[in-house]
Amino acid sequence: MSDGGVHRVAMRVSPRLADRNPALVKISPRWAATVDVRRQGLRWQLDLRDNLQAVLYYAGRYEPAVRRFLLHELRHGDVVLDAGANIGVHAFTAGKRLKELGGGRVIAFEPAADMVAKLGAGAARNDVPLEVVPAALGERPELATLRTDSRYDEADAGVRSLYGDGDVVQEVSVVRLDDWAREHELDRLDVVKLDIEGSESAALTGATRTLKRLQPRALLVEDKRSDSSARLHAVLDECGYLPTGEVLDRNAVFRPELTG
């Protein structure tokens, strides 16, 4: 399916657009929630009540431009960090690609307990190397409340956030990447993907020492919120990163200034 086709599928399954979407497709919670399928060369157990998982099921892909970027960008031995890994769409793509290249490391930060369980099960099911950190990235270490988004169904796990206005999902641990990297003696970082529903600026603020020290060659950061975009760009500029002008499925690509 083309990128445009994937977008059309995403529009069709979004309850937020129901008023102007008479062709809305939404799976009833009373229906079988989980299906076993093969998509993108990987085996999945997908809950079709969730937007992200429904798009992957119906379209066969999710955020195809990001996937293409990872497949072309990754090199043997790379260390990839995926913050907001959710069910592992991009973490598993990276892990599978690095395995094909002969080795590498994928670190997935994900605070929600049900998604952490899915990541572990999916990695085992697909024999993909993955290190799961059950925490959110932020500006300071703390406990925070993960909530649903009232515009979506409770089962839509991909839109949960620390700024949500819906029901409480759980209390989660927030860590600074700088602290985690020091404690775990992280000595290499090549590619970072950051998609955490509005917490991107806070996470980058807590990662400035790590970015300056390890200088990953590519950052993919969701940049769709006008109220936080200026701060996000300011933090990255302080770390020596400039936007390349590429925007992949709403994820802006940044690279170190000295390497262009």
Side-chain angles (χ1 to χ4, degrees):
M1 182 176 288
S2 68
D3 289 6
V6 174
H7 177 72
R8 286 192 294 274
V9 168
M11 296 285 285
R12 288 287 179 88
V13 301
S14 175
R16 183 170 59 87
L17 303 174
D19 291 343
R20 48 194 173 94
N21 188 0
L24 176 71
V25 176
K26 196 64 182 173
I27 302 301
S28 169
R30 294 189 299 273
W31 197 66
T34 303
V35 293
D36 294 319
V37 297
R38 189 172 184 84
R39 296 288 187 271
Q40 299 185 162
L42 295 160
R43 295 166 54 211
W44 302 90
Q45 287 186 340
L46 300 177
D47 183 343
L48 299 185
R49 300 170 301 169
D50 174 65
N51 281 338
L52 184 157
Q53 297 178 64
V55 171
L56 182 58
Y57 176 75
Y58 289 115
R61 297 185 294 164
Y62 182 79
E63 293 191 336
V66 172
R67 182 172 185 269
R68 284 195 300 270
F69 178 88
L70 291 172
L71 292 175
H72 286 91
E73 179 72 25
L74 295 182
R75 307 168 187 168
H76 170 73
D78 275 351
V79 177
V80 179
L81 189 151
D82 184 359
N86 196 262
I87 65 168
V89 171
H90 298 307
F92 292 166
T93 292
K96 184 172 183 286
R97 180 58 177 155
L98 288 173
K99 187 176 179 180
E100 293 168 350
L101 292 169
R105 183 181 180 190
V106 181
I107 305 166
F109 279 81
E110 173 54 53
D114 54 351
M115 295 298 104
V116 168
K118 275 185 172 286
L119 285 168
R125 185 185 309 116
N126 291 286
D127 192 23
V128 171
L130 184 68
E131 302 170 39
V132 182
V133 183
L137 288 180
E139 190 171 355
R140 63 183 66 85
E142 60 182 342
L143 286 177
T145 302
L146 185 68
R147 293 180 178 271
T148 62
D149 186 324
S150 63
R151 299 173 299 173
Y152 292 83
D153 293 347
E154 185 177 344
D156 281 315
V159 293
R160 297 168 178 171
S161 76
L162 303 183
Y163 306 106
D165 60 351
D167 295 336
V168 172
V169 177
Q170 68 178 90
E171 296 297 307
V172 300
S173 296
V174 180
V175 301
R176 285 163 42 93
L177 181 59
D178 286 341
D179 297 336
W180 188 91
R182 183 182 66 253
E183 292 167 8
H184 292 81
E185 300 181 343
L186 187 67
D187 60 2
R188 178 172 178 172
L189 188 58
D190 299 284
V191 177
V192 175
K193 182 182 181 299
L194 198 63
D195 181 354
I196 45 180
E197 299 302 310
S199 297
E200 290 81 9
S201 295
L204 289 167
T205 300
T208 53
R209 288 203 306 269
T210 302
L211 295 180
K212 291 176 180 178
R213 178 171 63 90
L214 300 180
Q215 282 215 319
R217 66 175 182 273
L219 307 179
L220 285 81
V221 185
E222 186 175 63
D223 183 17
K224 65 179 183 180
R225 298 171 184 265
S226 58
D227 57 338
S228 60
S229 184
R231 181 188 175 199
L232 186 154
H233 282 252
V235 174
L236 287 171
D237 183 67
E238 177 194 341
C239 295
Y241 282 82
L242 295 176
T244 65
E246 292 179 275
V247 179
L248 312 174
D249 301 312
R250 299 184 302 182
N251 297 277
V253 180
F254 295 80
R255 293 193 185 270
E257 183 174 4
L258 292 180
T259 63

